[in-house]
Amino acid sequence: MSAIKDSRNINFNTKHLRKGDPLPPFNGKLRVYNMRYCPYAQRTILALNAKQIDYEVVNIDLIDKPEWLTTKSAFAKVPAIEIAEDVTIYESLVTVEYLDEVYPKRPLLPQDPLKKALDKIIVEASAPIQSLFIKILKFSDTVNEEHVAAYHKALDFIQEQLKNRGTVFLDGSEPGYADYMIWPWFERLRAFAHDERVRLEPSKYSLLLEYIDNMLKDSAVSQYLIPLEILAKFHEAYTKKERPNYELLNECLKSF
Ligand SMILES: N[C@@H](CCC(=O)N[C@@H](CS)C(=O)NCC(=O)O)C(=O)O
């Protein structure tokens, strides 16, 4: 874990802007168009946090998108980063590579081309984890044995990488690109621990479970963590085919 004191004070929980809401004026600070529960946008946030870059968050209601979203992200998705007024970069992995090149402090991608390639392979290998998560959330009935087997194969691969590398994190003694780019799904899978299809069997996945515990202690991760019961509640809307409540976190924080 980084011992450097973090003096930034970033509000991750700004209101999700929707159709009709004006675009906040650009004030020169690096900006992230985000959605608080988006695992892809979380990749960008984790990279920014790990590198202690100062930025502001503009959260977006993705069900009722503001008219100006396509001027910031041609795909009308989050994340997008605005590096200068109207100069934006989107696609989570592209934003992270860009940030890593432009902000050399705390490099995330390995310098060595082979190690860099291997890290990218790990991110690719996590695809079945991502797709099982989305299927369970949105089309749970369609999940079949093949999807679950592919999920376990991906977990096995990642655990094997951890074992072979012999380090606390995939990228060494601190998390790096591979760790942060796959983390959002591990964080979310914790909210599905009751689901037999997803559960990490301790006897089979002890190393991976230990790794998850270590990731939870990393400050880039912990400052953006959503409490499990709130995450589960947010997900519930998808399983019930209801509108997700993007302000859930703020509402829950207020009631404490
Ligand atoms: N490949 C994109 C995926 C981003 C993505 O799918 N974001 C979702 C939110 S989690 C989104 O913006 N969805 C809005 C939509 O599809 O209309 C990336 O890696 O950035």
Side-chain angles (χ1 to χ4, degrees):
M1 208 197 304
S2 171
I4 304 161
K5 180 125 179 51
D6 189 346
S7 57
R8 305 164 313 149
N9 187 16
I10 294 155
N11 182 5
F12 303 127
N13 304 326
T14 58
K15 183 178 171 291
H16 290 71
L17 301 180
R18 56 164 75 183
K19 197 177 281 168
D21 285 335
L23 171 68
F26 190 76
N27 62 12
K29 198 181 260 193
L30 180 76
R31 175 180 282 182
V32 186
Y33 295 93
N34 185 52
M35 191 278 272
R36 187 64 178 89
Y37 300 84
C38 172
Y40 299 99
Q42 188 178 2
R43 287 172 159 172
T44 310
I45 299 273
L46 291 173
L48 288 161
N49 288 350
K51 295 171 94 63
Q52 297 201 4
I53 300 168
D54 200 11
Y55 63 98
E56 66 171 19
V57 173
V58 172
N59 278 321
I60 304 289
D61 181 326
L62 294 170
I63 302 290
D64 195 15
K65 297 173 181 168
E67 296 79 353
W68 39 261
L69 182 60
T70 46
T71 68
K72 304 297 176 187
S73 159
F75 304 156
K77 292 186 180 193
V78 295
I81 52 173
E82 190 162 15
I83 55 169
E85 190 158 15
D86 290 330
V87 183
T88 53
I89 298 167
Y90 34 89
E91 281 298 313
S92 55
L93 297 176
V94 180
T95 65
V96 173
E97 276 208 58
Y98 170 86
L99 291 168
D100 209 32
E101 276 179 34
V102 172
Y103 296 88
K105 183 173 149 186
R106 172 89 193 268
L108 297 175
L109 274 148
Q111 295 298 307
D112 175 70
L114 174 61
K115 285 190 177 145
K116 190 190 286 188
L118 294 174
D119 261 23
K120 290 184 175 179
I121 291 172
I122 292 178
V123 178
E124 277 294 317
S126 71
I129 303 176
Q130 300 178 32
S131 66
L132 184 69
F133 166 74
I134 291 170
K135 281 196 184 80
I136 288 199
L137 204 59
K138 296 189 172 171
F139 323 101
S140 188
D141 301 346
T142 69
V143 174
N144 61 33
E145 272 174 31
E146 237 170 79
H147 302 137
V148 177
Y151 163 76
H152 281 103
K153 223 167 146 187
L155 293 178
D156 293 345
F157 180 83
I158 294 168
Q159 180 161 265
E160 195 61 20
Q161 288 291 318
L162 267 173
K163 193 171 146 203
N164 292 345
R165 292 178 179 211
T167 45
V168 176
F169 301 103
L170 288 161
D171 283 302
S173 58
E174 282 191 314
Y177 180 80
D179 300 289
Y180 288 130
M181 296 307 101
I182 64 172
W183 170 253
W185 289 274
F186 284 104
E187 179 174 330
R188 281 156 186 76
L189 291 176
R190 291 161 61 247
F192 289 97
H194 56 278
D195 189 323
E196 278 306 310
R197 298 170 296 185
V198 174
R199 206 172 84 85
L200 299 188
E201 177 58 51
S203 60
K204 190 173 174 206
Y205 291 116
S206 61
L207 192 56
L208 212 44
L209 287 164
E210 197 185 328
Y211 168 73
I212 291 172
D213 280 346
N214 288 326
M215 283 297 287
L216 286 167
K217 290 181 212 140
D218 176 75
S219 69
V221 167
S222 63
Q223 65 188 283
Y224 196 66
L225 204 62
I226 298 173
L228 269 185
E229 59 282 10
I230 297 182
L231 200 53
K233 205 159 179 208
F234 182 79
H235 289 159
E236 219 178 85
Y238 287 93
T239 47
K240 289 186 178 165
K241 313 245 181 280
E242 290 171 356
R243 191 192 204 285
N245 178 2
Y246 294 116
E247 304 314 325
L248 196 59
L249 198 52
N250 274 333
E251 288 168 14
C252 293
L253 291 175
K254 253 188 240 152
S255 64
F256 283 121

